[in-house]
Amino acid sequence: MTGLAALLPEGLAAAVEAATGARIAAVRPRGGGGASREGAELDLAWPDGRAASVYMNYDVHKAGAGDDAAFLREAAILRALSGTLADAGVRVAPYHASVPEQRALVCGLVPGRDRFAAIADPAQRDALARDFMGQLAALHHIDVAASLVEGMGPIEPTETLVRRRIADLRKANSGRAWDPLIHLSLGWLEANIPANMPPPVIVHGDAGPGNFLYDGDRVTALLDWELVHYGDPMADLAMLCLRMLFQDFVPLPRAFAAYRAAGGHRVDLARVRYWRLLFQTGFARRARYDDPDAPPPPNLGMNLVYSTIHRRVLSEALAEAAGVTLPPVALPDAPSGAHDRSFALALDDLKEVIVPRVADQQAAVKAKGLARLIKWWRAIERFEPGFHAAEQREIEAALGFEFEDHAAAWKAFCDEVAGDRIAMTSAIILCNAHETREAALMADAMGGLAATKFAPLEQ
C-alpha cells in the first residue's frame, strides 16, 4: 500500500479506504474530472471478496477554502440519484463514498465515451442530443418540495440565489483582484434581475457536452455535479451555451426544442441570456492565476486559455446585453521578439522529445499546458508593447488626459470605472478592446479555440 499511496496526495488513500471499507489494490492516475480537479482510477477490494474499479476525482487545494458546501451538494445529489431518487431516471455514476476533507469523490466506473464531437453520424448526434436534453428534463421534473435531497441545503427563491451570487462576486472583486470588466457586468446584472422566476428545481449547474458519457445514442451518465443547486431550470440551458464555447453540440434551437419535447420547462430565452452572462462573469475572474495567495490551478496553461476566452466572450456578451455596438480593435503587428528562437527550441523539445516519452497522463497534460504558456510568453514579448501603446492612446482619448505610461493610463481607467465616473458605453468598449488584445496574445496557445463565440440561441 505504501507505493500506491505515494501516487495520491498525502493521506488520501487511507481516507478513501476508511470511507469505503475497502482496500485499494491499484491506483492509475488520470486527467482531472473537471477543470479544477485531478483524478485517478482505483481498484477496490472488500473483505467479503467483492471488488470494483472506480473513478475518484479530487481537489485537495480547494478543501477548506470556504466553499466546501458545493462539494457536499455534489456528493449528496449523486448519493440520492444512486438511491432514493433513482426512479427519476437520471443516469449517474454509482456513488461509493466521499472524503470532504480532501474534496475526493469516489464513484463506480460507467461505460461510455465523452467526446460528442467525435460522432460523425448526424442521426446519432441528434438522437444522443435528444436523450441528453431528456435527462435534463427528467432532472428538472423531480419534485424537490416532496423529495428534499439530504445534504443539498434549503430551498430558497431563485432571486435570493441570484442576489447572493452577485454579492459574492462583488466581494471577490476587491483589493488586488478588482477587475473593471467584472464590475461593469455585475452592475448590469444587478439592475436587470429577471422577475417572476419559477419555483426552484434541481439544476445540474454544468450541463453540456464533455460532462456526460454516452454509448451509441444513449446517455450512460451525467458527470461533474460540482455546481449542482436548487434554482432556475434555464440556468442549465445557459450553462449548455457556455460549454459549447469549447465543445461541439447540436444547434441550440434544436437542443431547446428537444428539451421542451421531453417535458422540460418552457424555454425563456431572456432568462437564458441572463444566466449565461451571470455564469460567464463568475468564470471570467482571474484571481486564481494572479493572486499569489490563491492555490495553484491544476493546469495553468489550459486554465489560462479557458479564462482568456471567458473574458473576451464576457466583454462581447455584456456589450450585447447593454446595447453597445463594439468598434474594431486595433491589433498592431510587430517583428519577432529577441528571444523568439529560445521559445521555439523549448517548444520543439516539448513536442518532439518530452511529450512522446511521458507515460504518466497527468505529466503529459501538464507538459502540453507548459507549451501553451511558452507560446503565450513569446506573444507577450512580441506584441504587448504595441498593444499597450494602442490601449494607452484609447484611454487618453476617453478620459481626456495624457499619461506617462500604459500602467498609469490603465490605473486611471480602473479608478474611473470603480467610481462610476465614466459612461458605461465607453467603459465597455475599452474593456472589450483590452480583452480582445489579451486574447490575441493567447491566440497561438488557443489554437482552434481562438475565435470561439456563443452559439446562436435562435434560428
Side-chain angles (χ1 to χ4, degrees):
M1 179 62 196
T2 303
L4 296 177
L7 297 173
L8 299 172
E10 183 178 358
L12 182 54
V16 169
E17 290 189 332
T20 61
R23 176 178 60 86
I24 297 178
V27 176
R28 294 177 292 278
R30 293 289 182 261
S36 66
R37 293 179 168 181
E38 307 213 43
E41 287 184 15
L42 309 177
D43 290 342
L44 300 181
W46 281 266
D48 62 6
R50 289 181 299 124
S53 294
V54 301
Y55 181 79
M56 175 177 69
N57 57 47
Y58 57 92
D59 189 344
V60 296
H61 296 300
K62 269 193 173 181
D67 58 352
D68 289 321
F71 175 83
L72 296 175
R73 285 194 298 270
E74 178 178 21
I77 191 61
L78 287 172
R79 184 169 54 245
L81 291 173
S82 299
T84 57
L85 293 179
D87 289 345
V90 180
R91 303 169 209 133
V92 297
Y95 174 89
H96 278 275
S98 61
V99 182
E101 296 79 8
Q102 293 183 286
R103 288 286 185 92
L105 188 60
V106 183
C107 292
L109 291 176
V110 176
R113 307 173 63 188
D114 66 353
R115 292 194 63 240
F116 185 91
I119 302 174
D121 179 7
Q124 181 188 357
R125 290 169 63 88
D126 285 347
L128 179 57
R130 286 195 299 271
D131 192 52
F132 169 71
M133 300 308 295
Q135 284 287 286
L136 287 186
L139 178 69
H140 296 164
H141 265 289
I142 294 173
D143 186 347
V144 296
S147 305
L148 277 175
V149 178
E150 183 179 356
M152 275 275 290
I155 300 174
E156 58 187 2
T158 302
E159 182 176 340
T160 302
L161 169 68
V162 171
R163 291 191 180 278
R164 184 168 63 249
R165 287 196 176 192
I166 292 173
D168 289 344
L169 287 170
R170 280 200 186 281
K171 183 178 179 180
N173 193 44
S174 60
R176 290 180 298 180
W178 188 87
D179 184 322
L181 176 61
I182 303 299
H183 178 87
L184 291 167
S185 186
L186 291 174
W188 188 92
L189 288 164
E190 191 164 37
N192 292 275
I193 296 174
N196 303 317
M197 282 184 279
V201 302
I202 299 175
V203 175
H204 179 281
D206 201 3
N211 272 352
F212 64 85
L213 296 177
Y214 67 90
D215 183 12
D217 58 6
R218 184 176 186 273
V219 172
T220 56
L222 299 184
L223 306 175
D224 202 0
W225 293 77
E226 186 178 3
L227 301 177
V228 68
H229 61 279
Y230 295 123
D232 183 356
M234 295 303 102
D236 269 339
L237 303 191
M239 186 57 69
L240 176 59
C241 303
L242 266 70
R243 292 203 67 82
M244 286 176 63
L245 288 171
F246 310 110
Q247 294 163 310
D248 187 33
F249 200 55
V250 300
L252 284 169
R254 194 182 308 167
F256 294 165
Y259 171 79
R260 190 69 190 95
H265 294 250
R266 182 182 68 84
V267 177
D268 184 333
L269 293 181
R271 293 200 337 259
V272 172
R273 289 188 178 94
Y274 184 88
W275 283 105
R276 190 179 65 176
L277 187 64
L278 178 56
F279 289 147
Q280 191 77 343
T281 304
F283 288 140
R285 291 183 58 247
R286 295 190 65 166
R288 189 173 187 187
Y289 317 118
D290 299 333
D291 184 352
D293 298 325
N299 186 339
L300 178 60
M302 199 65 227
N303 287 130
L304 278 171
V305 166
Y306 290 144
S307 174
T308 302
I309 292 171
H310 279 308
R311 292 181 63 78
R312 176 181 58 76
V313 173
L314 172 62
S315 70
E316 295 165 354
L318 176 59
E320 179 186 10
V324 175
T325 300
L326 295 172
V329 177
L331 298 170
D333 199 359
S336 297
H339 303 94
D340 187 72
R341 177 166 168 74
S342 297
F343 290 128
L345 290 172
L347 288 168
D348 284 344
D349 281 346
L350 283 166
K351 180 180 179 181
E352 305 296 337
V353 180
I354 297 173
V355 171
R357 300 184 187 183
V358 173
D360 183 283
Q361 186 191 33
Q362 287 183 342
V365 167
K366 287 182 179 290
K368 292 176 182 178
L370 179 58
R372 295 180 189 275
L373 289 174
I374 293 173
K375 291 178 180 180
W376 180 48
W377 295 331
R378 179 172 62 182
I380 288 173
E381 180 184 72
R382 177 178 177 181
F383 295 111
E384 190 173 69
F387 287 4
H388 278 182
E391 185 165 77
Q392 180 177 339
R393 291 191 295 270
E394 292 164 356
I395 292 173
E396 288 173 342
L399 300 187
F401 294 100
E402 292 187 359
F403 298 95
E404 180 179 354
D405 53 27
H406 172 266
W410 182 252
K411 182 180 184 304
F413 168 66
C414 290
D415 289 344
E416 293 298 296
V417 173
D420 297 320
R421 294 186 297 271
I422 181 173
M424 176 171 275
T425 295
S426 296
I428 289 175
I429 288 173
L430 286 170
C431 278
N432 171 257
H434 180 81
E435 299 308 331
T436 299
R437 293 185 180 113
E438 290 292 300
L441 294 178
M442 188 67 77
D444 191 22
M446 290 179 184
L449 294 173
T452 189
K453 294 179 179 294
F454 279 138
L457 297 179
E458 301 177 274
Q459 296 282 10

